[in-house]
Amino acid sequence: MKTVSIIYFSGSGHTTQLAQSVNKGASKVEGIISNLIAINSKDIIDGRYQNDEVFTTLDSSDAIIFGTATYMGGISAQFKAFADASVGSWFAGKWKDKLATGFTVSGTPAGDKFNTMQYMNTLAMQHGMIWISLGETHYDPNGINRLGAWAGAIAQSTDNIPMAEGDMLTGEVLGKRVADMVLRFN
Ligand SMILES: Cc1cc2nc3c(=O)[nH]c(=O)nc-3n(C[C@H](O)[C@H](O)[C@H](O)COP(=O)(O)O)c2cc1C
């Protein structure tokens, strides 16, 4: 069995919904185990994230999918604390050649989400990972890739705007694509 791990931060649950759809897509693929891991704020003490169990799981995964809510035009502080803590895996080259991608949710249709995606991409590049795009060439205003982005999966939701079915499908497509690519690369 090969492993995909989805590590994400969600403050009020919307990114959790998208993460669950990514997990659903990855879990569909035979031969793949998909782990859904939330970044828990309680693991951040004095600004530093620490959870050895999470890093043990990530270090042994074939693909890592990053996710965070977009806050103030970028990644959340909680995701950054996790990213900073990944320096241990970076020193040991543990994520090198693993597959990676990312997803995010913002309250507005654009919301400066691209900045969030770019940071997750940079994190993956620092680790020597291989970034997987969404792989949908078209967009459907009422369905998959509703918001029209190709770097990963993006969604729009707030407490007043429920997660769109199309955004959930986009997450599923991304999870399945990463799982398919894990089997292909192996
Ligand atoms: C501190 C904070 C900053 C936010 N900044 C943005 C932003 O820059 N752009 C945007 O469109 N939405 C922004 N939002 C809205 C959130 O992205 C949106 O509510 C999202 O669904 C939150 O995801 P979550 O439920 O997983 O935490 C912000 C929300 C908070 C709480």
Side-chain angles (χ1 to χ4, degrees), residues 8 11-12 37 63 66 69 78 86-87 89 105 110 112 114 152 154 176:
Y8 71 95
S12 51
I37 309 167
F66 304 112
Q78 291 85 345
S86 75
V87 70
S89 299
V105 180
D112 291 329
F114 191 63
I154 65 168
K176 182 177 181 309

Side-chain angles (χ1 to χ4, degrees), residues 9-16 69-73 105-108 111 157-158:
F9 174 76
S10 177
S12 51
H14 304 110
T15 311
T16 300
T70 288
Y71 285 170
M72 300 314 291
V105 180
S106 73
T108 60
S157 183
T158 65

